[in-house]
């Protein structure tokens, strides 16, 4: 490995350049994060109707202990889709 010697001024200039680069990178990361967070997903009527229907139906297909009956989840999904369609 070669032996490199720097003066104090050169070393300080190098440190300052590294700080500026680091702050510039932080600024870019902040702006990209803000841009990513601004995308908002809208709820569709169909999804809202399905979730309400599923909440109403799921009690019929669950055990008293809180678990699903055999095939209960699939049946609850089908019933909720039927109700949401109406």
């Amino acid at each position: 490995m070669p032996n490199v010697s720097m003066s104090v001024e050169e070393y300080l200039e190098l440190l300052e350049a590294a700080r500026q680069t680091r702050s510039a990178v932080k600024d870019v990361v902040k702006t990209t994060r803000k841009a990513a967070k601004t995308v908002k997903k809208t709820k569709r009527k169909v999804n809202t109707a399905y979730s309400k229907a599923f909440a109403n139906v799921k009690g019929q297909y669950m055990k008293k202990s809180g678990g699903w009956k055999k095939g209960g989840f699939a049946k609850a999904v089908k019933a909720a889709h039927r109700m949401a369609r109406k």
Side-chain angles (χ1 to χ4, degrees):
M1 187 188 264
N3 189 6
V4 179
S5 60
M6 283 192 222
S7 66
V8 175
E9 292 82 17
E10 290 173 335
Y11 182 73
L12 292 176
E13 286 177 15
L14 185 64
L15 280 176
E16 185 59 32
R19 284 190 192 119
Q20 289 175 355
T21 304
R22 187 173 182 190
S23 65
V25 169
K26 281 184 181 180
D27 292 341
V28 169
V29 169
K30 284 181 185 178
T31 55
T32 55
R33 283 185 184 164
K34 282 183 182 178
K37 287 182 181 179
T38 56
V39 176
K40 199 170 187 181
K41 188 174 181 182
T42 58
K43 285 188 177 181
R44 292 173 45 201
K45 268 187 174 180
V46 176
N47 294 342
T48 309
Y50 170 76
S51 64
K52 287 180 182 179
F54 187 81
N56 290 336
V57 169
K58 76 175 183 180
Q60 300 168 6
Y61 298 99
M62 295 186 87
K63 298 177 189 175
K64 286 184 180 178
S65 64
W68 290 101
K69 293 180 182 177
K70 185 174 182 181
F73 182 77
K75 289 177 185 175
V77 168
K78 280 187 175 183
H81 278 117
R82 267 187 259 120
M83 287 178 66
R85 228 182 290 142
K86 292 180 182 179

Coordinates of all heavy atoms in Angstrom, one line a residue:
M1 N 0.8 -1.2 0.0 CA 0.0 0.0 0.0 C 0.9 1.2 0.0 O 1.8 1.3 0.8 CB -0.9 0.0 1.2 CG -1.9 1.0 1.2 SD -2.8 1.2 2.8 CE -4.2 0.3 2.6
P2 N 0.6 2.2 -0.9 CA 1.5 3.4 -0.9 C 1.3 4.3 0.3 O 0.2 4.4 0.9 CB 1.0 4.1 -2.2 CG -0.4 3.6 -2.4 CD -0.4 2.2 -1.9
N3 N 2.3 5.0 0.6 CA 2.3 5.9 1.7 C 1.9 7.3 1.2 O 2.6 7.9 0.4 CB 3.7 5.9 2.4 CG 3.7 6.7 3.7 OD1 2.6 7.1 4.2 ND2 4.8 6.9 4.3
V4 N 0.8 7.8 1.7 CA 0.3 9.1 1.2 C 0.3 10.1 2.4 O -0.1 9.8 3.5 CB -1.1 9.0 0.7 CG1 -1.7 10.3 0.3 CG2 -1.2 8.0 -0.4
S5 N 0.9 11.2 2.2 CA 0.9 12.2 3.2 C 0.2 13.5 2.7 O 0.3 13.9 1.6 CB 2.4 12.6 3.6 OG 3.0 13.1 2.5
M6 N -0.6 14.1 3.6 CA -1.4 15.3 3.3 C -1.0 16.4 4.3 O -0.7 16.1 5.4 CB -2.9 15.0 3.5 CG -3.5 14.2 2.5 SD -5.3 14.3 2.7 CE -5.8 12.7 2.5
S7 N -1.2 17.6 3.8 CA -1.1 18.7 4.7 C -2.4 18.9 5.5 O -3.4 18.3 5.2 CB -0.8 20.0 3.9 OG -1.9 20.3 3.1
V8 N -2.3 19.7 6.5 CA -3.5 19.9 7.3 C -4.6 20.5 6.5 O -5.8 20.2 6.6 CB -3.1 20.8 8.6 CG1 -4.4 21.1 9.4 CG2 -2.1 20.1 9.4
E9 N -4.2 21.5 5.7 CA -5.2 22.2 4.8 C -5.9 21.2 3.9 O -7.2 21.2 3.7 CB -4.6 23.3 4.0 CG -4.1 24.5 4.9 CD -2.8 24.2 5.5 OE1 -2.0 23.3 5.0 OE2 -2.4 24.9 6.5
E10 N -5.2 20.3 3.3 CA -5.7 19.3 2.4 C -6.7 18.4 3.1 O -7.8 18.1 2.6 CB -4.6 18.5 1.7 CG -3.8 19.3 0.7 CD -2.6 18.5 0.2 OE1 -2.2 17.6 0.9 OE2 -2.2 18.8 -1.0
Y11 N -6.3 18.0 4.3 CA -7.1 17.1 5.1 C -8.4 17.8 5.5 O -9.5 17.2 5.4 CB -6.3 16.7 6.4 CG -7.1 15.8 7.3 CD1 -7.3 14.4 6.9 CD2 -7.6 16.2 8.5 CE1 -8.0 13.6 7.7 CE2 -8.3 15.3 9.3 CZ -8.5 14.0 8.9 OH -9.2 13.1 9.7
L12 N -8.4 19.0 5.9 CA -9.6 19.8 6.2 C -10.5 20.0 5.0 O -11.7 19.9 5.2 CB -9.2 21.1 6.9 CG -8.5 21.1 8.2 CD1 -8.1 22.5 8.7 CD2 -9.5 20.4 9.3
E13 N -9.9 20.2 3.9 CA -10.7 20.4 2.6 C -11.4 19.0 2.3 O -12.6 19.0 1.9 CB -9.9 20.8 1.5 CG -9.4 22.2 1.5 CD -8.5 22.6 0.4 OE1 -8.4 21.8 -0.6 OE2 -7.8 23.6 0.4
L14 N -10.7 18.0 2.5 CA -11.3 16.6 2.2 C -12.4 16.4 3.2 O -13.5 15.8 2.8 CB -10.2 15.6 2.4 CG -10.6 14.1 2.0 CD1 -11.0 14.0 0.6 CD2 -9.5 13.2 2.3
L15 N -12.3 16.7 4.5 CA -13.4 16.5 5.5 C -14.6 17.4 5.1 O -15.7 16.9 5.2 CB -12.9 16.9 6.9 CG -12.0 15.8 7.6 CD1 -11.6 16.4 8.9 CD2 -12.9 14.6 7.8
E16 N -14.3 18.6 4.7 CA -15.5 19.5 4.4 C -16.2 19.0 3.1 O -17.4 19.0 3.1 CB -14.9 20.9 4.1 CG -16.0 21.9 3.9 CD -17.0 22.0 5.0 OE1 -16.6 21.9 6.2 OE2 -18.2 22.3 4.7
A17 N -15.5 18.5 2.2 CA -16.1 17.9 1.0 C -17.0 16.7 1.3 O -18.1 16.5 0.8 CB -15.1 17.5 -0.1
A18 N -16.5 15.9 2.3 CA -17.2 14.7 2.7 C -18.5 15.1 3.4 O -19.6 14.5 3.2 CB -16.3 13.8 3.6
R19 N -18.4 16.1 4.3 CA -19.6 16.6 5.0 C -20.7 17.1 4.0 O -21.8 16.9 4.2 CB -19.2 17.7 6.0 CG -18.5 17.2 7.2 CD -18.4 18.3 8.2 NE -17.5 17.8 9.3 CZ -16.3 18.4 9.6 NH1 -15.9 19.5 9.0 NH2 -15.6 17.9 10.6
Q20 N -20.2 17.9 3.0 CA -21.2 18.4 2.1 C -21.8 17.3 1.3 O -23.0 17.4 1.0 CB -20.5 19.4 1.1 CG -20.1 20.7 1.8 CD -19.2 21.6 0.9 OE1 -18.9 21.2 -0.2 NE2 -18.9 22.8 1.3
T21 N -21.1 16.3 0.9 CA -21.6 15.2 0.1 C -22.7 14.5 1.0 O -23.7 14.1 0.5 CB -20.5 14.2 -0.3 OG1 -19.6 15.0 -1.1 CG2 -21.1 13.1 -1.2
R22 N -22.3 14.3 2.3 CA -23.2 13.5 3.2 C -24.5 14.3 3.4 O -25.6 13.7 3.3 CB -22.5 13.3 4.5 CG -23.2 12.5 5.4 CD -22.4 12.2 6.7 NE -23.2 11.3 7.5 CZ -22.8 11.0 8.8 NH1 -21.7 11.5 9.3 NH2 -23.5 10.2 9.5
S23 N -24.4 15.6 3.5 CA -25.7 16.4 3.7 C -26.5 16.4 2.4 O -27.7 16.4 2.5 CB -25.3 17.8 4.1 OG -24.6 18.5 3.1
A24 N -25.8 16.4 1.3 CA -26.6 16.4 0.0 C -27.3 15.0 -0.1 O -28.5 15.0 -0.6 CB -25.6 16.6 -1.2
V25 N -26.7 14.0 0.2 CA -27.3 12.7 0.2 C -28.5 12.6 1.1 O -29.5 12.0 0.8 CB -26.3 11.5 0.5 CG1 -26.9 10.2 0.7 CG2 -25.2 11.5 -0.6
K26 N -28.3 13.1 2.3 CA -29.5 13.1 3.3 C -30.7 13.9 2.7 O -31.8 13.5 2.9 CB -29.0 13.8 4.6 CG -28.2 12.8 5.5 CD -27.9 13.5 6.8 CE -27.1 12.6 7.7 NZ -26.8 13.3 9.0
D27 N -30.4 15.0 2.1 CA -31.5 15.8 1.5 C -32.2 15.0 0.4 O -33.4 15.1 0.3 CB -30.9 17.1 0.9 CG -30.4 18.1 2.0 OD1 -30.8 17.9 3.2 OD2 -29.7 19.0 1.7
V28 N -31.5 14.3 -0.4 CA -32.1 13.6 -1.5 C -32.9 12.4 -0.9 O -34.0 12.2 -1.3 CB -31.0 13.0 -2.4 CG1 -31.6 12.0 -3.4 CG2 -30.3 14.1 -3.2
V29 N -32.4 11.8 0.1 CA -33.2 10.7 0.8 C -34.4 11.2 1.4 O -35.5 10.6 1.2 CB -32.3 10.0 1.8 CG1 -33.1 9.0 2.7 CG2 -31.1 9.2 1.1
K30 N -34.4 12.4 2.0 CA -35.6 12.9 2.7 C -36.6 13.3 1.6 O -37.8 13.0 1.8 CB -35.2 14.2 3.4 CG -34.6 13.9 4.8 CD -34.3 15.2 5.5 CE -33.5 15.0 6.8 NZ -33.2 16.3 7.4
T31 N -36.2 13.8 0.5 CA -37.2 14.2 -0.5 C -37.8 13.0 -1.2 O -39.0 13.0 -1.5 CB -36.6 15.1 -1.6 OG1 -35.4 14.4 -2.2 CG2 -36.2 16.4 -1.0
T32 N -37.0 11.9 -1.4 CA -37.6 10.7 -2.0 C -38.5 10.0 -1.0 O -39.6 9.5 -1.4 CB -36.5 9.7 -2.4 OG1 -35.6 9.5 -1.3 CG2 -35.7 10.3 -3.6
R33 N -38.2 10.1 0.3 CA -39.2 9.5 1.3 C -40.5 10.2 1.3 O -41.5 9.6 1.4 CB -38.5 9.5 2.7 CG -37.5 8.4 2.8 CD -37.0 8.3 4.2 NE -35.9 7.3 4.4 CZ -35.1 7.3 5.4 NH1 -35.2 8.1 6.4 NH2 -34.2 6.3 5.4
K34 N -40.4 11.6 1.3 CA -41.6 12.3 1.3 C -42.5 12.1 0.0 O -43.7 11.9 0.1 CB -41.3 13.8 1.3 CG -40.9 14.3 2.7 CD -40.7 15.8 2.7 CE -40.2 16.3 4.0 NZ -40.0 17.8 4.0
A35 N -41.8 11.9 -1.1 CA -42.5 11.6 -2.3 C -43.2 10.3 -2.3 O -44.3 10.1 -2.7 CB -41.6 11.7 -3.5
A36 N -42.6 9.3 -1.6 CA -43.1 8.0 -1.5 C -44.3 7.9 -0.6 O -45.3 7.2 -0.8 CB -42.1 7.0 -1.1
K37 N -44.3 8.8 0.5 CA -45.3 8.8 1.4 C -46.6 9.5 0.9 O -47.7 9.3 1.5 CB -44.9 9.4 2.7 CG -43.9 8.6 3.5 CD -43.5 9.3 4.8 CE -42.5 8.4 5.6 NZ -42.1 9.1 6.8
T38 N -46.5 10.4 0.0 CA -47.6 11.1 -0.5 C -48.6 10.3 -1.3 O -49.7 10.8 -1.5 CB -47.2 12.4 -1.3 OG1 -46.4 11.9 -2.4 CG2 -46.4 13.3 -0.4
V39 N -48.2 9.1 -1.8 CA -49.1 8.3 -2.5 C -50.2 7.8 -1.6 O -49.9 7.1 -0.6 CB -48.4 7.2 -3.2 CG1 -49.3 6.2 -3.9 CG2 -47.4 7.7 -4.2
K40 N -51.4 8.0 -1.9 CA -52.5 7.6 -1.0 C -53.4 6.6 -1.7 O -53.8 6.9 -2.8 CB -53.3 8.9 -0.6 CG -54.1 8.7 0.6 CD -54.7 10.0 1.1 CE -55.4 9.8 2.4 NZ -55.9 11.1 2.9
K41 N -53.7 5.5 -1.0 CA -54.6 4.5 -1.6 C -56.0 4.8 -1.3 O -56.3 5.0 -0.1 CB -54.2 3.1 -1.1 CG -54.9 2.0 -1.8 CD -54.3 0.7 -1.3 CE -55.0 -0.4 -2.1 NZ -54.5 -1.7 -1.6
T42 N -56.9 4.9 -2.2 CA -58.3 5.2 -2.0 C -59.1 3.9 -1.8 O -58.8 2.9 -2.4 CB -58.9 6.0 -3.1 OG1 -58.8 5.3 -4.3 CG2 -58.2 7.3 -3.3
K43 N -60.1 4.0 -0.9 CA -60.9 2.8 -0.7 C -62.0 2.8 -1.7 O -62.6 3.9 -2.1 CB -61.6 2.9 0.7 CG -60.7 2.6 1.8 CD -61.4 2.6 3.1 CE -60.5 2.2 4.3 NZ -61.3 2.1 5.5
R44 N -62.3 1.6 -2.2 CA -63.3 1.5 -3.2 C -64.6 1.1 -2.5 O -64.5 0.4 -1.4 CB -62.9 0.5 -4.3 CG -61.8 1.0 -5.1 CD -61.3 -0.1 -6.1 NE -62.3 -0.8 -6.8 CZ -62.1 -2.0 -7.3 NH1 -61.0 -2.6 -7.2 NH2 -63.1 -2.7 -7.9
K45 N -65.8 1.4 -3.1 CA -67.0 1.0 -2.5 C -67.1 -0.5 -2.3 O -67.6 -1.0 -1.3 CB -68.2 1.4 -3.4 CG -68.7 2.8 -3.1 CD -70.0 3.0 -3.9 CE -70.6 4.3 -3.5 NZ -71.8 4.5 -4.3
V46 N -66.6 -1.2 -3.2 CA -66.7 -2.7 -3.2 C -65.9 -3.2 -2.0 O -66.4 -4.1 -1.3 CB -66.1 -3.3 -4.5 CG1 -66.1 -4.8 -4.4 CG2 -66.9 -2.8 -5.7
N47 N -64.7 -2.7 -1.7 CA -63.9 -3.2 -0.6 C -64.6 -2.8 0.7 O -64.6 -3.6 1.6 CB -62.5 -2.5 -0.7 CG -61.7 -3.0 -1.8 OD1 -62.1 -4.0 -2.4 ND2 -60.7 -2.3 -2.2
T48 N -65.2 -1.7 0.8 CA -65.8 -1.3 2.0 C -67.0 -2.1 2.3 O -67.3 -2.6 3.4 CB -66.3 0.2 2.0 OG1 -65.2 1.0 1.6 CG2 -66.8 0.7 3.3
A49 N -67.8 -2.4 1.3 CA -69.0 -3.2 1.4 C -68.6 -4.7 1.8 O -69.3 -5.3 2.7 CB -69.8 -3.3 0.1
Y50 N -67.6 -5.2 1.2 CA -67.1 -6.5 1.5 C -66.6 -6.6 3.0 O -67.0 -7.6 3.7 CB -66.0 -7.0 0.6 CG -65.3 -8.2 1.0 CD1 -65.9 -9.5 0.9 CD2 -64.1 -8.2 1.7 CE1 -65.4 -10.6 1.3 CE2 -63.5 -9.4 2.1 CZ -64.1 -10.6 1.9 OH -63.5 -11.8 2.4
S51 N -65.9 -5.7 3.4 CA -65.3 -5.7 4.8 C -66.5 -5.7 5.8 O -66.4 -6.4 6.8 CB -64.3 -4.6 5.0 OG -64.9 -3.4 4.9
K52 N -67.5 -4.8 5.6 CA -68.6 -4.8 6.5 C -69.4 -6.1 6.5 O -69.8 -6.6 7.5 CB -69.5 -3.6 6.1 CG -69.0 -2.3 6.4 CD -69.9 -1.1 6.0 CE -69.3 0.2 6.4 NZ -70.2 1.3 6.0
A53 N -69.6 -6.6 5.3 CA -70.3 -7.9 5.2 C -69.6 -9.0 5.8 O -70.2 -9.9 6.5 CB -70.6 -8.2 3.7
F54 N -68.3 -9.1 5.7 CA -67.5 -10.1 6.3 C -67.5 -10.0 7.8 O -67.6 -11.0 8.5 CB -66.0 -10.0 5.9 CG -65.1 -11.1 6.3 CD1 -65.2 -12.4 5.7 CD2 -64.3 -11.0 7.5 CE1 -64.4 -13.4 6.1 CE2 -63.6 -12.0 7.9 CZ -63.6 -13.2 7.2
A55 N -67.5 -8.8 8.4 CA -67.6 -8.6 9.8 C -68.9 -9.1 10.3 O -69.0 -9.6 11.4 CB -67.4 -7.1 10.1
N56 N -70.0 -8.9 9.5 CA -71.3 -9.4 10.0 C -71.5 -10.9 9.9 O -72.1 -11.5 10.7 CB -72.4 -8.8 9.1 CG -72.6 -7.3 9.3 OD1 -72.3 -6.8 10.4 ND2 -73.1 -6.6 8.3
V57 N -70.8 -11.5 8.9 CA -71.0 -12.9 8.7 C -70.0 -13.8 9.5 O -70.4 -15.0 9.8 CB -70.8 -13.2 7.2 CG1 -70.7 -14.7 6.8 CG2 -71.9 -12.6 6.4
K58 N -68.9 -13.3 9.8 CA -67.8 -14.2 10.4 C -68.2 -14.9 11.7 O -67.8 -16.0 11.9 CB -66.5 -13.5 10.5 CG -66.4 -12.5 11.7 CD -65.0 -12.0 11.8 CE -64.9 -11.1 13.0 NZ -63.6 -10.5 13.1
G59 N -69.1 -14.3 12.5 CA -69.5 -14.9 13.7 C -70.2 -16.3 13.5 O -70.2 -17.2 14.4
Q60 N -70.9 -16.5 12.4 CA -71.6 -17.7 12.1 C -70.7 -18.9 11.8 O -71.0 -20.0 12.0 CB -72.6 -17.5 11.0 CG -73.6 -16.4 11.2 CD -74.3 -16.1 9.9 OE1 -74.1 -16.7 8.9 NE2 -75.2 -15.1 9.9
Y61 N -69.5 -18.5 11.4 CA -68.5 -19.6 11.0 C -67.3 -19.8 11.9 O -66.4 -20.4 11.6 CB -68.0 -19.2 9.6 CG -69.1 -19.2 8.5 CD1 -69.6 -17.9 8.1 CD2 -69.6 -20.3 8.0 CE1 -70.6 -17.9 7.2 CE2 -70.6 -20.3 7.0 CZ -71.1 -19.0 6.7 OH -72.1 -19.0 5.7
M62 N -67.4 -19.2 13.1 CA -66.4 -19.3 14.1 C -66.9 -20.1 15.3 O -68.0 -20.2 15.6 CB -65.9 -17.9 14.6 CG -65.3 -17.1 13.5 SD -64.6 -15.6 14.1 CE -63.0 -16.2 14.5
K63 N -65.9 -20.8 16.0 CA -66.2 -21.5 17.2 C -66.3 -20.6 18.3 O -65.9 -19.4 18.2 CB -65.1 -22.5 17.5 CG -64.8 -23.6 16.4 CD -63.6 -24.4 16.8 CE -63.2 -25.3 15.7 NZ -62.0 -26.1 16.1
K64 N -66.8 -21.1 19.5 CA -66.9 -20.2 20.7 C -65.5 -19.8 21.2 O -65.4 -18.8 21.8 CB -67.7 -21.0 21.8 CG -69.2 -21.1 21.5 CD -69.8 -21.7 22.7 CE -71.3 -21.9 22.5 NZ -72.0 -22.5 23.6
S65 N -64.6 -20.7 20.9 CA -63.2 -20.4 21.4 C -62.5 -19.3 20.5 O -61.4 -18.9 20.9 CB -62.4 -21.7 21.3 OG -62.2 -22.2 20.0
G66 N -63.1 -19.0 19.4 CA -62.5 -17.9 18.6 C -61.8 -18.4 17.3 O -61.4 -17.6 16.5
G67 N -61.7 -19.7 17.2 CA -61.1 -20.3 16.0 C -62.1 -20.5 14.9 O -63.3 -20.4 15.1
W68 N -61.7 -20.8 13.7 CA -62.6 -21.0 12.6 C -63.1 -22.4 12.6 O -62.3 -23.3 12.9 CB -61.9 -20.7 11.2 CG -61.6 -19.3 11.0 CD1 -60.4 -18.6 11.2 CD2 -62.5 -18.3 10.6 NE1 -60.5 -17.3 10.9 CE2 -61.8 -17.0 10.5 CE3 -63.9 -18.3 10.2 CZ2 -62.4 -15.9 10.1 CZ3 -64.4 -17.1 9.8 CH2 -63.7 -15.9 9.8
K69 N -64.3 -22.6 12.2 CA -64.8 -24.0 12.0 C -64.2 -24.6 10.8 O -63.5 -23.9 10.0 CB -66.4 -24.0 11.8 CG -67.1 -23.6 13.1 CD -68.6 -23.6 12.8 CE -69.4 -23.1 13.9 NZ -70.9 -23.0 13.6
K70 N -64.3 -25.9 10.6 CA -63.7 -26.5 9.5 C -64.3 -25.9 8.2 O -65.5 -26.0 8.0 CB -63.9 -28.0 9.5 CG -63.2 -28.8 8.4 CD -63.3 -30.3 8.6 CE -62.5 -30.9 7.5 NZ -62.6 -32.4 7.6
G71 N -63.5 -25.4 7.3 CA -63.9 -24.7 6.1 C -64.7 -23.4 6.3 O -65.3 -22.9 5.4
G72 N -64.7 -23.0 7.5 CA -65.4 -21.8 7.9 C -65.0 -20.5 7.3 O -65.8 -19.7 6.8
F73 N -63.7 -20.3 7.2 CA -63.2 -19.1 6.6 C -63.6 -18.9 5.1 O -64.1 -17.9 4.7 CB -61.6 -19.0 6.7 CG -61.1 -17.7 6.2 CD1 -61.2 -16.6 6.9 CD2 -60.4 -17.7 4.9 CE1 -60.6 -15.4 6.4 CE2 -59.9 -16.5 4.4 CZ -60.0 -15.4 5.1
A74 N -63.4 -20.0 4.4 CA -63.8 -20.0 2.9 C -65.3 -19.7 2.8 O -65.7 -19.0 1.9 CB -63.4 -21.3 2.3
K75 N -66.1 -20.4 3.6 CA -67.5 -20.2 3.5 C -67.9 -18.7 3.9 O -68.8 -18.1 3.3 CB -68.2 -21.1 4.5 CG -68.2 -22.6 4.0 CD -68.8 -23.5 5.0 CE -68.7 -25.0 4.5 NZ -69.2 -25.9 5.5
A76 N -67.2 -18.2 4.9 CA -67.5 -16.8 5.3 C -67.1 -15.8 4.2 O -67.8 -14.8 3.9 CB -66.7 -16.5 6.6
V77 N -66.0 -16.1 3.5 CA -65.6 -15.2 2.4 C -66.6 -15.3 1.3 O -67.0 -14.2 0.7 CB -64.2 -15.7 1.9 CG1 -63.9 -15.0 0.5 CG2 -63.1 -15.4 2.9
K78 N -67.1 -16.5 0.9 CA -68.1 -16.6 -0.1 C -69.4 -15.9 0.3 O -70.0 -15.2 -0.5 CB -68.5 -18.1 -0.4 CG -67.5 -18.8 -1.2 CD -67.9 -20.2 -1.6 CE -67.0 -20.8 -2.5 NZ -67.5 -22.2 -2.9
A79 N -69.8 -16.0 1.5 CA -71.1 -15.4 2.0 C -70.9 -13.9 2.0 O -71.8 -13.2 1.6 CB -71.4 -15.9 3.4
A80 N -69.8 -13.4 2.4 CA -69.5 -11.9 2.4 C -69.5 -11.4 1.0 O -70.1 -10.3 0.7 CB -68.2 -11.6 3.1
H81 N -68.9 -12.1 0.0 CA -69.0 -11.7 -1.4 C -70.4 -11.6 -1.9 O -70.8 -10.7 -2.6 CB -68.1 -12.6 -2.2 CG -66.6 -12.2 -2.2 ND1 -65.7 -13.1 -1.7 CD2 -66.0 -11.1 -2.6 CE1 -64.5 -12.5 -1.8 NE2 -64.7 -11.3 -2.3
R82 N -71.2 -12.6 -1.5 CA -72.6 -12.6 -1.9 C -73.3 -11.4 -1.4 O -74.1 -10.8 -2.1 CB -73.3 -13.9 -1.5 CG -73.3 -15.0 -2.5 CD -74.1 -16.2 -2.1 NE -73.2 -17.2 -1.6 CZ -73.2 -17.7 -0.4 NH1 -74.1 -17.4 0.5 NH2 -72.3 -18.6 0.0
M83 N -73.1 -11.1 -0.1 CA -73.8 -10.0 0.5 C -73.3 -8.7 -0.1 O -74.1 -7.7 -0.3 CB -73.5 -10.0 2.0 CG -74.3 -11.1 2.8 SD -73.9 -11.1 4.5 CE -74.6 -9.5 5.0
A84 N -72.1 -8.6 -0.4 CA -71.5 -7.3 -0.9 C -72.0 -7.0 -2.3 O -72.1 -5.9 -2.7 CB -70.0 -7.3 -0.9
R85 N -72.3 -8.1 -3.0 CA -72.8 -8.0 -4.4 C -74.2 -7.3 -4.4 O -74.6 -6.6 -5.4 CB -72.8 -9.3 -5.1 CG -72.2 -9.3 -6.5 CD -72.3 -10.6 -7.1 NE -71.4 -11.6 -6.5 CZ -71.7 -12.9 -6.4 NH1 -72.8 -13.4 -6.8 NH2 -70.8 -13.7 -5.8
K86 N -75.0 -7.6 -3.4 CA -76.4 -7.1 -3.4 C -76.5 -5.7 -3.1 O -75.7 -5.0 -2.5 CB -77.2 -7.9 -2.3 CG -77.4 -9.4 -2.7 CD -78.1 -10.1 -1.6 CE -78.3 -11.5 -2.0 NZ -79.0 -12.3 -1.0

